[in-house]
Amino acid sequence: MSLLTVENLTVTARVGQGEAARLAPVLRGVGLALDKGEVLGVVGESGAGKSMLGRAIAGYLPPGFSVASGRVDFNRRNLLAITAETRRAMLGREIAFIPQEPLSALNPVRTIFSQLREHFTHLGLPRHQHRDRAIEALAEVQLSEPESLLGRFPHQLSGGMCQRVLIAMAFASRPRLIVADEPTTALDVSVQARILELMASLQRRAGTAVLFITHDLRLAAGICDRLAVLYAGAVVEEGGATSVLSRPLHPYTRALELANPALGTRRGLMVLPDHMPGLAALAEATGCRFAPRCPVRSRGCAEREIPLIGDNRRVACQYPERTLGIAPSAPVPPHRAGTGEVLLSVEGLGRRFRVGGLIRRRDIVALEDVSFTLREGEFLGVVGESGSGKSTLARLVVGLDRPTTGRITLAGADVTKGDAAAREVRLANLQMVFQNSSSALNPRRRVGSIVAQALEAMHRPAAEREAVAAELMRAMGLDPALVSRLPAQLSGGQRQRVNIARALAAGPRLLVADEIVSGLDVSIQAQLLALLARLRAGGIALVFISHDLAVVRHLCDRVIVMQQGRIVEQGETERVFSAPQADYTRELLASAPPDIGAPAPTRLLAIPPPSG
Amino acid sequence: MLRTLAWRAAVALPTLLVVSALMFMALRLLPVDPAAMSLPPNATNADIAAMRHTMGLDKPLPVQYVIWLDQVLHGNFGQSIHFRRSVAGLVANALPATIELAGSAMVIAFILGVGGGLLLFALRGRRSELALETATTLAMSLPEFLWGLLFIFVFGVALNWLPFTGRLAPSLPQPPGTGFLLIDSLRAGRIDIFWSALLHLILPASALGIAFAPPIARVLRASLLATWEQDYIRQARLRGISETRLLLAHALRNAALPSLTMVGVQFGFLFGGSLLIEVIFADPGIGNLMVDAVRNADLPVIQAVGLTYCVVVLVINAVVDALYMVLDPRLRRA
Amino acid sequence: MQLPLSRRLLLASAAGASLPLPALAAGQDSATMGWPSDVPGWDPTLRFAPDAQGIYKMVFDQPLTQSPHLKLIANVVTKWQLAPDGKTLDLELRPDVTFHDGAKMTSEDIRYTFFERVKSGENLDISKSFRTLVGVDTPSPTHAVMHFSQAFPTAPVWLAFLGSFVLPKEYLSKVGAAEFQKKPIGSGPFKLAEYEINARIVLERNDKYWGPKPALRRITIEIIKDPSARVAAIQSGQLDLTVNVPVREAQRLGHIPGLASELDPITRIILLQVRNDRNFSDENVRLAAHHAIDKAALSKAFYGGAAVPLSLPAPPGSPGYVPGFHFAYDPKLAMQLLAKSGYGPKNPIKIGFDTTNGQFPSDYDMARAIAAMWKKVGIEADLKVIEYAQYFELNRGDKLPEATLYSFDNATGDPEIYAGYLLNPHLPFSPWKDPVLGKRVVAQFTVTNEAERIAGWKKIEEDAVNMGACMPLLQSVITLVRKKNLSYTRYGNGWVLGQTFRWT
């Protein structure tokens, strides 16, 4: 008997209002089983319904969502039929959750101890044991000096430390089941690895079953025993982790794998068209939901949906044999030697921030002695963890901030000072694309007007602006009909493309992109990467800031590795990734999730005990 | 935290200086002759002229201000024209009653506001929310003196439940001490006086406080709604924490911060509103003193009471800042 | 301390929940009175406050006093004799008067109160009343002789007027003025037991009082400035007696079982103070303005008809009243007078008109009514609201308009303190600066023969009204509401004295 069995679970959401109201199935006939001590990875992109699965288990669906049918049996009890009281008694004790955003998952105004203590009270631990137990729990998650942490508030801790605290809480009751929903997505790469390792070791020691929800196939491959791939609310493939990854049977699984740039080698990406159906589309959909995007579909696929079939290895596809034949649709982007004219040159750049008032004033070094050059048509990747100075560098280059020391030369002109002349030079040569696509777009302007904004500033006639906007939209793979929409009506990937289109409208020679693919689903990321690769044909140069090493390796000619405001290594991408010189580069590479099919992640364990 | 408070104090001084100067000039520009007011009706014009000279009213305004300021800095707020008593003594004597009244009103506003906010939040999306919403709008739209009269006629006259004149029953003596009846009576061990003082406070404090509850309730409801969507609420719920505890132990404290700002802003208005309430309820506070002072053109008293209002508002702002830091650890410096 | 206290608190709360309010009408030997204003302090000679005189009279004694019908009568001074030249006043004191501390009241105390303290330079309001007093002889403890530098025919009147209370020399000079304010000692029928500024005054019977003993042991005076609050308080039974509630409310309260209400004319008069120049330089215009006002209608509209219309600046019953004199309400005559000077409703003369708002009941509304009456005959008034406190300042700066609505209280009823004050160009009350009338008024202050003196004032009053220098409107009323079984003595000047209270 399994610990957790999900049987034929269907969760629907109400879409539309009044007469037009429909029920969209966000989960459709999902069946899963999880044994004691087993780790099951639920993989899918946003909108696949994977988080809804966790919520259904917890019994807290968002307003407007409801369970239409099915059972969720935990320890021989149907979780969908228990009272709120029973559920509360069970939550945190037998079933624990590890959240996605550790920094915001702890109450900011209460100390770590008071939050632990509340949990211990819920677990029925006598009051006088709370302190010792808290210290023990924090030590268990390898937090140093647990005693001094007790009186701290969440904002005084790093994201990794917060996640450790939450993991400590989750494991405190030695629960039978832990549901971890993207527990490392918000963390830095090196921290990510340590957290996963910690979870794995605790899980093994306690024999806890884990439902590991993630969008990252590679990550899941590293730690899960079995995998279930979700698409549009249904499990499309399920089986042992190694088997699913080495021999995917569903075209979507294969496409996911191929959409991810590899860390070890450079290869072409699988770029799926379009995106997963949204709620409204789900309400209408029939047949195989993946068919419209499937590279190997047949005529019948759109009409007929195949249920999940098989025993240990189950798949919901009519033609599983075709899957292995799927090849990357986009070619390997060429890496170019920088031979063109120097476009951007940065020499000895430094930036200090003064903090504190009259007393105890001190300087914080955000950037120190950074020098590099960028030639025309060159793609330069900037990698490093948060706090490494990547974003400060970007702000200095685009002129949002001024350096304390050093020089920036753009297109032959010194733009260090940021005066009117420098602004002119920047305006003519440089554009920036921001990390957060939704807040970077004026919510009240139509997409068309946003894209043509730069032309408006140059006082071009309306007809020309419209024509350019439509052309750019097409070039970005966007339906030109979207020009009349508002940003809020677009998906994340679409918004980011509008963002890029806007930057390109002014015809810049240099694009500075700060984390523009992070937070996007892999298939959307693949689309954007392909788009950026196409742009280089036009001779544009790119400064690409990212924490994702694989993406940088895939896209960039040269790479800069930054740590604590300094460049620790720079060079041609191939050289840096295959033969890293700096220790830090090696460490970074080691902590990135391994490629599918690469040796088991034993090397994770070689990393020294973490501090945060 | 200490530094923030010190900074507050440093800012407060110039504020007080400017306010006092403005008030001084404005009062002296009124077509009212403090000299004439300080003399009996059978004084002659010559008497008045002599008095103007004695009071320094024939000097240029800036000189008068500097003299006044110098005296104030030496703790001398001058003599009341009407009472011929020390202004500082009059204000110090009246202040406890006003603080007791405004403080109780704030407590009532706070209790009603927080209770109302929680109730509005609990009723969100239901039909009864609208009824409560209407009630709060009504409570807010009536000025405090109308509430006062309404309470007097309903609870004082028609139902005859509660007293509404003065601070104590006529048969009870005023206990010696600080002037805060609730404190003095307990210190003297006189529960009967405490009880009477409490009963006498209920109507004026409610009248003063009721109009200030709805804004607190609304801000609290809005911030509770926002807080309720936070990750830490969801995460705590997933740990099996009950909904009540989620609301009171997790959401309320986070959501209280904007309401606290509201309370701080409002206390100034509330303190000002005590003026009419004190007159209606025959409460011998500084509002009552001010009304007399205005009627008698008692400029030194007006000036001192005005300054007192200003100081109280500044102090309350500082207290709110301090509370903010207590409630929100993110504002404390490491 | 902590625990017993909180337990007692709990007990008290529990008891309180089931108890009604503390018994409010405290029974046979005490009464609670609601009064609209506080005393300005406890040195009764310091500030003149008409509303406080009655309260002072409960604690202190005046040398002379007034009967309910305002006749000047003996008090601690039993006999008084003003010399024919008006410069010497002979006083004989009761021998049996003691202050609350047991000290005997003697002629020394008279000398101290009215002479020594005044001359010591302290800023006391009575120093203005007795500015001409140059000495007090004390031939014996019960005999005092006041000497004035010039004739002071109203000296006896002043000994029963504002601020004239005998203070204990020994005690006051021992403790000083500040301490005296905290612990005042008088010789009156009550002692001050408790005082909270702007809140309440508690008086306890002086059992050793020389005069008739008060029936009640304890009088509590609650200071309640807001008229509606006084109405509510008397209606709810929290007060036994109160004054100055709105006329309509007084009438309504009178119908409530157990309550009685009275509207009594008092010595306060309402009048228009006028200028003798600008657009009022023409006597026709002034008289027309006066003839155009329907005083009976004003009384009916604003005082329930209880306020007596006046033709002279002296109310009926006061010494300066002239029974036969009547100044008619005659709008036709007013129009004729205006026409003579070339004005009419179509060609109105413009004047300024100031009024207070809230200084006395219905003042602003009355001013508006008057302006409307004027408009009908051809006077266009520009009505402006001023603060009462501004009146003297405006007058001093010669900035009062042609007419100002004004009220004037004179508890003595003496004509000098009506017409004399209202028309004396040297005092701050009068905007009338015509030297002819002014000289007559000033001269009248020194007429010593009582009969001549009164006759002189009557003539001045009549002349002033006939020339349009004075426009009396109404005799004001005091509204008083009380429990029906609480009796009191009604005084023509509005005094409400605790020593006259009695439960029946």
Side-chain angles (χ1 to χ4, degrees):
Chain A
M1 182 74 200
S2 296
L3 176 70
L4 176 78
T5 348
V6 176
E7 261 175 62
N8 192 29
L9 179 66
T10 297
V11 171
T12 55
R14 182 173 293 278
V15 257
Q17 291 189 331
E19 290 278 307
R22 293 217 161 68
L23 290 179
V26 285
L27 284 180
R28 210 154 32 84
V30 170
L32 290 169
L34 181 57
D35 284 336
K36 189 169 172 294
E38 191 182 31
V39 181
L40 171 65
V42 176
V43 183
E45 294 179 284
S46 47
K50 58 188 191 305
S51 292
M52 214 48 65
L53 187 60
R55 285 185 157 231
I57 292 169
Y60 292 114
L61 292 171
F65 287 68
S66 57
V67 174
S69 66
R71 306 172 55 92
V72 178
D73 285 315
F74 172 75
N75 209 13
R76 289 175 204 154
R77 245 166 148 169
N78 185 357
L79 290 184
L80 302 179
I82 55 175
T83 63
E85 208 59 37
T86 320
R87 168 170 296 118
R88 265 206 295 281
M90 200 179 268
L91 288 179
R93 190 171 292 143
E94 290 181 69
I95 306 176
F97 291 79
I98 298 173
Q100 181 167 5
E101 299 275 354
L103 273 172
S104 60
L106 287 167
N107 192 331
V109 302
R110 298 181 58 183
T111 60
I112 300 301
F113 187 39
S114 103
Q115 306 196 44
L116 280 171
R117 181 159 220 177
E118 180 184 55
H119 186 51
F120 293 154
T121 309
H122 175 61
L123 296 181
L125 222 61
R127 208 179 153 80
H128 65 270
Q129 290 178 16
H130 286 181
R131 195 173 178 84
D132 291 345
R133 188 67 192 84
I135 293 169
E136 205 180 301
L138 293 182
E140 199 173 20
V141 292
Q142 295 166 18
L143 282 167
S144 51
E145 295 183 51
E147 234 179 311
S148 73
L149 283 180
L150 293 181
R152 305 258 207 111
F153 290 94
H155 72 278
Q156 297 168 317
L157 271 53
S158 69
M161 289 163 92
C162 284
Q163 192 62 296
R164 282 171 199 273
V165 171
L166 285 156
I167 290 171
M169 277 200 217
F171 278 99
S173 58
R174 297 281 176 264
R176 293 159 188 265
L177 172 66
I178 281 183
V179 178
D181 190 350
E182 307 264 16
T184 59
T185 312
L187 303 174
D188 269 332
V189 185
S190 61
V191 181
Q192 215 172 65
R194 290 171 196 153
I195 293 287
L196 284 179
E197 185 214 353
L198 171 70
M199 280 178 62
S201 82
L202 285 171
Q203 177 265 332
R204 272 193 300 273
R205 225 185 307 159
T208 314
V210 175
L211 191 68
F212 192 86
I213 296 168
T214 180
H215 70 284
D216 193 334
L217 199 57
R218 238 187 303 159
L219 196 71
I223 61 162
C224 297
D225 301 317
R226 289 191 308 121
L227 288 183
V229 180
L230 233 57
Y231 188 84
V235 178
V236 292
E237 177 161 10
E238 200 238 329
T242 24
S243 153
V244 168
L245 288 170
S246 58
R247 203 171 51 83
L249 291 179
H250 196 281
Y252 177 62
T253 315
R254 172 80 177 149
L256 265 189
E257 183 206 324
L258 289 177
N260 240 329
L263 190 64
T265 55
R266 273 164 32 82
R267 64 171 194 209
L269 299 184
M270 175 79 226
V271 181
L272 291 175
D274 213 353
H275 52 81
M276 197 175 323
L279 273 186
L282 280 178
E284 312 290 336
T286 53
C288 175
R289 302 318 195 244
F290 184 61
R293 302 173 76 192
C294 185
V296 293
R297 64 176 177 266
S298 287
R299 210 174 294 148
C301 290
E303 279 93 58
R304 211 153 71 85
E305 187 177 29
I306 302 292
L308 203 59
I309 36 180
D311 283 335
N312 278 329
R313 193 74 167 76
R314 300 187 296 165
V315 65
C317 181
Q318 210 162 352
Y319 310 105
E321 68 283 357
R322 293 184 186 175
T323 296
L324 270 178
I326 297 173
S329 55
V332 182
H335 274 192
R336 260 193 219 171
T339 50
E341 199 185 315
V342 171
L343 184 61
L344 172 74
S345 151
V346 169
E347 289 160 62
L349 206 60
R351 179 72 174 99
R352 283 154 184 269
F353 294 98
R354 186 147 287 186
V355 293
L358 298 168
I359 332 158
R360 279 198 303 181
R361 175 183 291 195
R362 64 203 166 90
D363 283 356
I364 286 183
V365 180
L367 213 61
E368 178 110 320
D369 195 22
V370 167
S371 305
F372 64 89
T373 54
L374 180 66
R375 290 171 188 277
E376 276 194 334
E378 212 172 31
F379 278 22
L380 172 70
V382 181
V383 298
E385 294 182 278
S386 46
S388 63
K390 310 188 294 276
S391 291
T392 309
L393 177 61
R395 290 169 58 82
L396 291 174
V397 168
V398 301
L400 287 174
D401 191 9
R402 293 203 201 154
T404 333
T405 55
R407 230 159 77 94
I408 306 171
T409 315
L410 178 63
D414 186 340
V415 295
T416 317
K417 277 198 220 131
D419 49 12
R423 269 204 299 280
E424 199 90 338
V425 174
R426 284 205 171 96
L427 213 61
N429 292 290
L430 183 155
Q431 282 290 322
M432 177 158 189
V433 185
F434 294 93
Q435 179 166 7
N436 192 334
S437 62
S438 48
S439 65
L441 299 179
N442 184 337
R444 283 182 201 84
R445 287 188 86 154
R446 305 262 158 209
V447 166
S449 137
I450 289 172
V451 170
Q453 215 169 343
L455 297 174
E456 211 172 292
M458 295 176 194
H459 306 292
R460 297 291 172 72
E464 186 189 331
R465 294 207 303 265
E466 276 167 33
V468 171
E471 194 190 309
L472 279 168
M473 297 282 283
R474 258 191 298 274
M476 296 299 114
L478 291 167
D479 183 350
L482 294 178
V483 289
S484 58
R485 299 269 181 93
L486 290 173
Q489 294 169 308
L490 303 181
S491 72
Q494 286 174 327
R495 270 202 296 270
Q496 199 57 283
R497 275 189 260 184
V498 168
N499 221 348
I500 297 171
R502 179 186 61 169
L504 292 177
R509 296 165 74 193
L510 171 62
L511 203 60
V512 178
D514 188 358
E515 299 278 9
I516 58 168
V517 296
S518 61
L520 294 179
D521 281 322
V522 273
S523 66
I524 305 298
Q525 173 183 299
Q527 288 169 358
L528 276 174
L529 290 178
L531 175 73
L532 289 171
R534 276 206 304 281
L535 283 178
R536 62 188 311 155
I540 201 167
L542 175 73
V543 174
F544 185 81
I545 293 160
S546 178
H547 69 277
D548 190 330
L549 300 175
V551 168
V552 169
R553 170 158 212 191
H554 175 81
L555 190 66
C556 298
D557 309 320
R558 292 199 306 121
V559 64
I560 288 175
V561 183
M562 296 191 65
Q563 184 191 20
Q564 288 167 5
R566 292 163 191 273
I567 294 181
V568 294
E569 184 163 6
Q570 64 172 309
E572 295 197 357
T573 312
E574 284 309 313
R575 203 270 302 151
V576 173
F577 277 72
S578 56
Q581 303 292 304
D583 289 344
Y584 180 68
T585 315
R586 275 196 287 274
E587 208 178 298
L588 266 188
L589 285 169
S591 36
D595 290 334
I596 289 159
T602 43
R603 56 196 162 132
L604 283 186
L605 301 171
I607 295 170
S611 58
Chain B
M1 183 149 155
L2 274 179
R3 247 177 63 191
T4 313
L5 290 182
W7 177 243
R8 271 274 175 203
V11 174
L13 277 177
T15 309
L16 284 175
L17 212 60
V18 170
V19 167
S20 72
L22 285 177
M23 220 154 46
F24 192 90
M25 302 297 163
L27 287 177
R28 292 306 189 273
L29 291 177
L30 283 180
V32 163
D33 186 357
M37 292 306 294
S38 75
L39 289 172
N42 51 359
T44 61
N45 287 339
D47 289 333
I48 293 172
M51 182 51 83
R52 287 182 63 79
H53 182 72
T54 315
M55 293 171 79
L57 295 171
D58 49 356
K59 294 193 174 74
L61 262 188
V63 176
Q64 290 186 38
Y65 175 68
V66 170
I67 293 172
W68 176 82
L69 192 65
D70 180 58
Q71 285 178 338
V72 165
L73 291 179
H74 289 89
N76 178 8
F77 284 82
Q79 279 246 322
S80 154
I81 290 171
H82 180 65
F83 293 103
R84 295 220 183 117
R85 285 170 59 172
S86 125
V87 169
L90 284 172
V91 173
N93 195 27
L95 200 52
T98 301
I99 291 179
E100 203 163 71
L101 171 66
S104 314
M106 202 67 245
V107 168
I108 288 175
F110 190 75
I111 291 171
L112 287 179
V114 170
L118 287 172
L119 198 61
L120 276 173
F121 175 76
L123 295 177
R124 64 191 181 278
R126 293 197 209 161
R127 208 162 284 170
S128 37
E129 188 191 10
L130 194 70
L132 195 61
E133 188 95 37
T134 317
T136 59
T137 310
L138 187 79
M140 215 160 46
S141 50
L142 276 188
E144 64 277 349
F145 70 93
L146 277 185
W147 277 115
L149 292 177
L150 192 73
F151 282 176
I152 286 178
F153 287 115
V154 174
F155 300 107
V157 177
L159 299 170
N160 211 344
W161 284 352
L162 288 164
F164 52 85
T165 54
R167 302 173 75 195
L168 274 183
S171 54
L172 294 170
Q174 158 129 8
T178 57
F180 293 97
L181 282 185
L182 295 181
I183 295 170
D184 292 343
S185 57
L186 289 183
R187 285 206 325 194
R190 292 287 300 268
I191 295 304
D192 53 340
I193 296 181
F194 177 85
W195 182 244
S196 175
L198 198 65
L199 288 180
H200 279 78
L201 259 179
I202 292 176
L203 288 185
S206 306
L208 187 53
I210 193 163
F212 292 98
I216 297 174
R218 287 180 179 192
V219 169
L220 183 64
R221 191 249 318 253
S223 45
L224 274 176
L225 284 175
T227 307
W228 206 241
E229 298 302 316
Q230 296 294 313
D231 279 355
Y232 54 83
I233 298 291
R234 192 180 314 158
Q235 190 61 25
R237 182 181 288 127
L238 291 179
R239 281 200 299 272
I241 307 299
S242 73
E243 295 294 304
T244 321
R245 200 175 152 77
L246 282 180
L247 181 60
L248 298 179
H250 287 272
L252 186 57
R253 190 159 153 200
N254 282 284
L257 293 171
S259 318
L260 189 67
T261 313
M262 201 72 201
V263 169
V265 170
Q266 291 201 313
F267 195 85
F269 291 111
L270 191 139
F271 207 74
S274 65
L275 197 136
L276 285 170
I277 289 294
E278 281 176 7
V279 172
I280 293 172
F281 287 92
D283 218 341
I286 60 170
N288 219 325
L289 189 66
M290 185 71 150
V291 169
D292 269 0
V294 168
R295 174 158 299 164
N296 297 317
D298 203 339
L299 300 192
V301 176
I302 298 177
Q303 183 96 20
V305 173
L307 218 54
T308 307
Y309 278 117
C310 188
V311 168
V312 167
V313 168
L314 288 173
V315 166
I316 290 300
N317 281 340
V319 169
V320 166
D321 278 3
L323 270 180
Y324 234 100
M325 279 184 268
V326 170
L327 282 179
D328 192 345
R330 283 166 293 190
L331 296 177
R332 288 177 219 157
R333 283 172 197 254
Chain C
M1 194 62 202
Q2 206 71 3
L3 196 78
L5 247 186
S6 55
R7 217 174 63 202
R8 261 190 283 169
L9 194 68
L10 265 177
L11 289 174
S13 323
S18 58
L19 271 177
L21 285 177
L24 293 164
Q28 292 305 301
D29 63 350
S30 68
T32 303
M33 170 161 96
W35 201 251
S37 62
D38 196 3
V39 296
W42 282 105
D43 178 347
T45 67
L46 187 65
R47 297 290 339 216
F48 287 172
D51 284 349
Q53 294 308 300
I55 297 174
Y56 287 150
K57 279 187 86 70
M58 298 188 220
V59 179
F60 303 96
D61 271 319
Q62 300 196 277
L64 296 173
T65 189
Q66 289 172 276
S67 72
H69 300 292
L70 305 185
K71 220 166 99 52
L72 197 62
I73 56 170
N75 201 39
V76 294
V77 166
T78 50
K79 282 184 191 151
W80 65 101
Q81 183 64 52
L82 188 67
D85 65 352
K87 289 187 174 178
T88 309
L89 179 63
D90 206 279
L91 303 171
E92 200 164 301
L93 271 69
R94 292 181 70 97
D96 56 347
V97 180
T98 55
F99 288 106
H100 298 155
D101 62 351
K104 266 207 155 32
M105 182 191 288
T106 68
S107 53
E108 276 300 314
D109 298 306
I110 299 279
R111 182 184 151 83
Y112 176 73
T113 305
F114 296 96
F115 183 67
E116 289 173 14
R117 259 189 109 213
V118 165
K119 298 301 165 201
S120 75
E122 259 189 88
N123 184 15
L124 303 172
D125 279 6
I126 59 159
S127 65
K128 300 293 178 293
S129 316
F130 292 90
R131 70 172 82 224
T132 56
L133 184 66
V134 289
V136 178
D137 294 338
T138 52
S140 81
T142 56
H143 188 195
V145 185
M146 290 181 155
H147 298 285
F148 301 97
S149 60
Q150 60 186 67
F152 189 11
T154 51
V157 173
W158 274 97
L159 287 177
F161 194 32
L162 284 174
S164 297
F165 294 88
V166 186
L167 300 181
K169 173 177 182 176
E170 195 187 335
Y171 175 71
L172 180 48
S173 45
K174 190 178 80 195
V175 300
E179 188 58 30
F180 186 82
Q181 288 264 9
K182 287 184 203 151
K183 267 180 128 63
I185 278 182
S187 58
F190 291 95
K191 302 180 198 178
L192 181 68
E194 193 192 320
Y195 172 57
E196 198 194 342
I197 187 166
N198 263 332
R200 63 172 172 163
I201 299 163
V202 181
L203 303 175
E204 293 207 358
R205 183 168 59 199
N206 171 14
D207 285 320
K208 296 189 181 128
Y209 186 54
W210 58 269
K213 282 208 178 46
L216 302 189
R217 193 181 51 76
R218 186 184 168 96
I219 304 282
T220 302
I221 301 164
E222 300 268 358
I223 312 299
I224 307 174
K225 290 174 188 166
D226 186 69
S228 9
R230 289 197 295 278
V231 168
I234 187 93
Q235 190 176 348
S236 67
Q238 294 183 36
L239 296 176
D240 301 316
L241 179 149
T242 193
V243 297
N244 274 354
V245 300
V247 171
R248 266 172 229 290
E249 291 289 349
Q251 289 166 335
R252 179 180 67 80
L253 290 168
H255 296 300
I256 293 177
L259 289 184
S261 80
E262 279 125 40
L263 275 77
D264 300 325
I266 51 166
T267 48
R268 180 183 289 270
I269 61 170
I270 299 165
L271 73 163
L272 296 179
Q273 285 289 68
V274 297
R275 296 182 71 102
N276 57 321
D277 51 5
R278 299 195 194 162
N279 280 348
F280 262 4
S281 58
D282 183 345
E283 188 175 302
N284 286 338
V285 176
R286 295 198 300 267
L287 291 175
H290 197 174
H291 279 299
I293 300 171
D294 185 350
K295 296 168 188 173
L298 292 178
S299 172
K300 192 146 185 263
F302 303 113
Y303 293 96
V308 180
L310 293 179
S311 294
L312 288 171
S318 74
Y321 184 70
V322 184
F325 186 87
H326 183 62
F327 192 93
Y329 162 60
D330 192 343
K332 276 199 191 109
L333 178 59
M335 286 168 87
Q336 283 166 15
L337 285 165
L338 283 172
K340 255 195 248 172
S341 295
Y343 302 107
K346 284 188 189 135
N347 173 30
I349 180 163
K350 288 184 177 146
I351 62 163
F353 183 22
D354 282 1
T355 177
T356 50
N357 189 355
Q359 170 66 17
F360 58 93
S362 308
D363 45 1
Y364 177 66
D365 293 330
M366 205 186 309
R368 281 184 22 177
I370 291 169
M373 292 169 182
W374 281 345
K375 188 155 193 185
K376 278 188 202 151
V377 298
I379 298 171
E380 195 179 306
D382 175 24
L383 187 62
K384 255 189 17 228
V385 173
I386 59 166
E387 286 296 320
Y388 177 71
Q390 283 176 270
Y391 180 86
F392 301 106
E393 174 77 358
L394 290 170
N395 194 20
R396 204 177 59 83
D398 200 29
K399 285 182 191 142
L400 281 178
E402 280 87 346
T404 306
L405 184 64
Y406 192 68
S407 83
F408 189 79
D409 194 13
N410 169 16
T412 66
D414 194 272
E416 177 185 301
I417 298 172
Y418 283 123
Y421 274 56
L422 289 168
L423 292 167
N424 186 335
H426 300 317
L427 289 177
F429 305 97
S430 176
W432 183 270
K433 306 293 184 193
D434 157 35
V436 182
L437 183 67
K439 259 184 205 148
R440 275 180 66 194
V441 169
V442 172
Q444 187 64 27
F445 270 76
T446 52
V447 175
T448 51
N449 181 287
E450 184 65 9
E452 260 175 56
R453 193 177 75 87
I454 300 293
W457 283 121
K458 285 183 176 171
K459 189 79 180 81
I460 287 178
E461 288 164 14
E462 287 181 42
D463 291 350
V465 170
N466 284 331
M467 68 194 282
C470 183
M471 302 184 192
L473 299 173
L474 298 169
Q475 179 181 10
S476 195
V477 293
I478 184 177
T479 51
L480 184 143
V481 186
R482 61 186 166 92
K483 293 205 170 128
K484 217 171 217 144
N485 53 349
L486 179 67
S487 78
Y488 77 110
T489 304
R490 182 186 309 174
Y491 277 81
N493 52 17
W495 289 342
V496 180
L497 303 178
Q499 49 266 49
T500 69
F501 289 4
R502 186 181 299 276
W503 290 102
T504 57

